[in-house]
Amino acid sequence: ERLEIVKKENARRAEGRLEIVKRAEATRELLQMESSDRFGMPFYKLMALSWVLYTARFSEAFLTLRAVEVGLSVAYVPGLLVVSQILQTGLSYPLGKWADDRLDRNTVLLLGIACLTLADVVCIFADSPRGMILGMFFQG
């Protein structure tokens, strides 16, 4: 009787292991690049849009580290951020007023995202403090 219980328990465990192996194989197949074609173009458009939106907004921590990396003195980094914020504050109202009279809100949103993306791309590829200052100027 005890032997029968042990055999049933071993069979149940073997079925469980087989189920785990089947799930792992299904997951592996799902993650293979060949199966990514089934997502279709809407998925890739959404991924491209997500990339642009994430690129459009770096944190100040990245900008600070990048500025120091290209040779800007650590003492000037806070000033760079302050100047960028002052520029942003000073331009927000006049540009907002100008855009309100001439552009629809979707165009304003797209222009804002494009400007931030341009600024961050400039900061990414900057190889001198001047390049970082230019990128921060566009960001402001």
Side-chain angles (χ1 to χ4, degrees), residues 45-95:
K45 286 180 180 178
L46 179 64
M47 290 297 103
L49 177 64
S50 298
W51 178 81
V52 168
L53 292 176
Y54 276 111
T55 304
R57 195 65 222 143
F58 284 140
S59 72
E60 280 76 19
F62 165 77
L63 297 171
T64 302
L65 292 172
R66 183 72 180 132
V68 171
E69 184 180 45
V70 298
L72 193 66
S73 173
V74 176
Y76 292 118
V77 172
L80 184 63
L81 295 172
V82 168
V83 169
S84 176
Q85 294 300 316
I86 289 172
L87 189 63
Q88 184 176 3
T89 302
L91 291 176
S92 292
Y93 180 76
L95 288 176

